Amino acid sequence: MVAFGKKLKERQIQEWQGYYINYKLMKKKVRQHAQQIEVGTQDRRHVLKDFSRMLDNQIEKIVLFLLEQQGLLASRIAELNEQQEALQQQPDISEISQLREAYREVGRDLLKLLFFIEINAIGLRKILKKFDKRFGYRFTDYYVKTRANHPYSQLQQVFKHVGLGAVVGAISRNLHELQEHQGSYLSIYDQTALPFQDPVVDSMKAAVDRLTHSTNFLNFLAQHALIMQEELPTFEEPVDDQKYHFISLLLNLVNTFLYMVNTYIIVPTADDYSMSLGAAATVCGIVIGSMAGAQVFSSVYFSAWSNKSYFRPLVFSSIVLFIGNAMYALAYDFNSIAVLLLGRVFCGLGSARAVNRRYISDCVPLKIRMQASAGFVSASALGMACGPALAGLLQTNFKLYKLTFNQDTLPGWVMSLAWLIYLVWLWISFKEPSHVTEESSAEQESTAEPVENDVLEKGLKQPLLLSSDDKRVTEEGDGEFDGSDEAPEEARGPATSIGSAYRLLTPSVKVQLLIYFMLKYAMEVLLSESSVITTYYFSWSTSSVAIFLACLGLTVLPVNMVVGSYISNMFEDRQILLASEIMVCVGILLSFHIISPYTVPQYVCSGLILFVSAEVLEGVNLSLLSRVMSSRLSRGTYNGGLLSTEAGTLARVVADGTITLAGYLGESKLLNVTLLPSLVICIASIVATCFTYNSLY
C-alpha cells in the first residue's frame, strides 16, 4: 500500500538516491502508455519495446553502480590484507583489534550494498507486476525469458551475486583468522567446524540468504506453518536473543507433536469404541470431529492469550488435554457415549497450536526461524504418522481395579500419561520470554506499517520467474515508492476481529482458503472413515488400519522433500497448484465404489493418490498463501495463521459430521455418499482456481 512505498523511500540510503530504480518515473510511464493505448496513439508492440528499453536502462544503472561499489570494497579489503600480512611479522594486540574493526566496517558497508540490491529488486518486481495488471499482458514472463540468459542482459547481475559472495568470504575468513588463529600454525581450512562467528558475518550471511536462497525443502516445508512476518529488509537487523530459549522452543514443538498424536491415535479404534458403547460404527465421525469442533473456538482464545503469555496457555492446554484423555478412557467403564464425546471436546479445547505458531513468530531469532517453522511442520507430520502406529501397538486387554485397559481405552490412558509428563517438564524447563507492556504493544500494533509479504524469501530470481499475479500483494494499494498519500492509521494496524480479517482477504486469497478447506475435507474423509470402510469391505483388523494410516502419514516429509527440492524448481507454483487439484480429483474419482467387487488395491492406490496429491497441494497452497495474504494479518490475534487453522479445522468438522450423517443410510452407501461432497468441492476449487488466474490476465 502507499504507506509501504513511503517506508521504502525513507529506508533508501540517502547518498545513493540517484542510483535506485526510478519507480515513480516508471509508474508514471505505465500510466502514460495505458492512456496512449486507450486513445489509439500507440500500439501494444511499441509500448512493450519502449518500456523494455526503459527498464533495461534502469537495470544497467543499478548494475554499474553495484560493480563500482564492489570494486571499492575489494580495494579496501586488499589494503587491509596488506596490513594483516605486516602484523603477522610483528603482532600488536591494539593494531589487531583496530584491523578487526576495520574489517567489520567493510562488512557493514557490504550490508548497505546488499540492502540496496534488495530494495531495487523489490521495485523491479513491483513495476513488472503493475505493468501486467494494467495492460493484461504477461510482460513479466516475456521480459524475464528474453533477458534471463542473454549475453547482453544485465538482469541476472541483480540476482547472481558471485562478486558479493567473494567479498563476504574474504571478510569472514579474515575476521576468523584474526580472532581464532593468532600465533597458530593451523589454517582455518584445517577445521571443519567454525566455532567463532562474528555478528557482522552473521548479518551478512542472513542478507545474502535473503537474496540468493533458492527454493529448497527446508524453506518449502517452513511455509506450511504459515508463520507470517514483516519482511522489509534492513541492513542492521538486531536479534533479541533474550527472548529466545531453545528448551522452550523444543517444548513448543513437543506440544505440537503430542497434539497431532492425540488427534489421530483414536482413528483406528473409534468405530469399535462407539459400537462397544451401543452406538453405530459411523458415530466415529462425531467422536473424531468433536475435537476439531472444539478447536474452532480454542484457536481464538489461545491466539488472544498468546498476546500476554506463552507459559500459562501451554500449562492450561496440558491440564485440559490430560483431563480430556482421562475422560475418553473412562467412558468405557462408565458405558457412556456422552463422556466419550465430552472427553474429545476437552481435548479440542486444549489445542495450543496458535500458541506454538505465535512463539516461533515472536520469540525465535530470524536466522533460525525458517528451521523452527520447518520443525513445527515436521513435528505435526511425525505426530500424524505416530498416532495410528501407536494405536496399532496397543492391542491388549486387562483390568486394573475397576479400570479397563484395552485397544479402545489405552489411547486415552497413554495420552493422559504423556500430557502429565509433558506438564511436569513444561513447569520445570519453560522460560517465559520478556513481553512488552500491553500498552506499548497496542501502540506498536496501531502504528506499524504493513509491508509486502514477499521480499524474496524464496530467492530474488524465483518471484520474477513466477507470474507476478501469483505473488499479488493484498494491501489496499500497490506499494508505490513515492508515498504521495498517507494511509489512515486504522487502516494500517492488525485485524481486530474475524470479520475485519475476512474483509482483508482478496478474491485470490479466498480461493486459496477454499482450496485449503477442500483438501482438508478430502483428507479427513479418507482418514476418519478408513476403519469403517476397511472393516466393511475387507475385514481389516485394527492393526491393519493402523499400518495403512501410519504409512500415509509417513509420506508427508518425503513428498514435501521432492516437491520443495525439485518440482518447485521446475514448474511455477500455480502450475503445481492446478495439477495437484486435478490429481486430488482423480484420487476421489478412483475411490468410488462403482464396479464390484471393491478391492484392496483400488482402495489403497486411490487413497494414496488422494493423500499424496493433497499433501503436495497443501504445501504449494500455503506457500502461495503466505506470500499473498495481507501483512496486516501477520500480527495480532486474528492473524493469517489463525484464519488458515480455522478453515482447515472447519473442514474437518464438516467432513466428520458428513460421515456420521451418511451412516444413517447404511455402511454400504457410506463410501460413495461421503466422497460425493469431496468431489463437488474439489471441482468447485478447480474452476475457481482457473477463473481466478485467467481473469488476472
Side-chain angles (χ1 to χ4, degrees), residues 217 557-569:
F217 167 56
L557 293 181
V559 165
N560 281 287
M561 182 178 294
V562 171
V563 176
S565 300
Y566 302 104
I567 297 178
S568 59
N569 287 330

Side-chain angles (χ1 to χ4, degrees), residues 415-491:
M415 292 312 303
S416 287
L417 179 61
W419 285 113
L420 183 61
I421 295 172
Y422 174 79
L423 178 60
V424 174
W425 184 21
L426 181 74
W427 193 273
I428 295 172
S429 303
F430 191 86
K431 180 181 178 182
E432 180 78 270
S434 56
H435 277 268
V436 295
T437 62
E438 188 174 352
E439 291 79 12
S440 63
S441 177
E443 180 182 353
Q444 182 181 4
E445 287 185 354
S446 65
T447 59
E449 305 260 354
V451 295
E452 191 170 351
N453 279 327
D454 180 27
V455 183
L456 321 174
E457 193 69 24
K458 303 275 282 184
L460 282 176
K461 181 177 178 181
Q462 184 181 343
L464 284 177
L465 292 178
L466 289 176
S467 169
S468 61
D469 292 300
D470 287 347
K471 317 270 187 189
R472 293 183 66 91
V473 178
T474 59
E475 306 294 337
E476 301 135 347
D478 50 13
E480 281 81 348
F481 282 173
D482 55 285
S484 55
D485 299 315
E486 190 73 34
E489 202 69 17
E490 63 274 11

Side-chain angles (χ1 to χ4, degrees), residues 16-48:
W16 295 349
Q17 282 284 348
Y19 301 101
Y20 284 91
I21 185 172
N22 196 333
Y23 186 85
K24 185 175 181 179
L25 174 64
M26 299 189 74
K27 185 185 66 174
K28 191 177 297 182
K29 197 72 173 178
V30 170
R31 287 199 296 263
Q32 290 176 355
H33 283 318
Q35 293 171 358
Q36 290 170 350
I37 289 180
E38 287 177 5
V39 299
T41 57
Q42 292 283 2
D43 61 20
R44 187 178 295 268
R45 293 176 61 184
H46 182 275
V47 167
L48 291 177

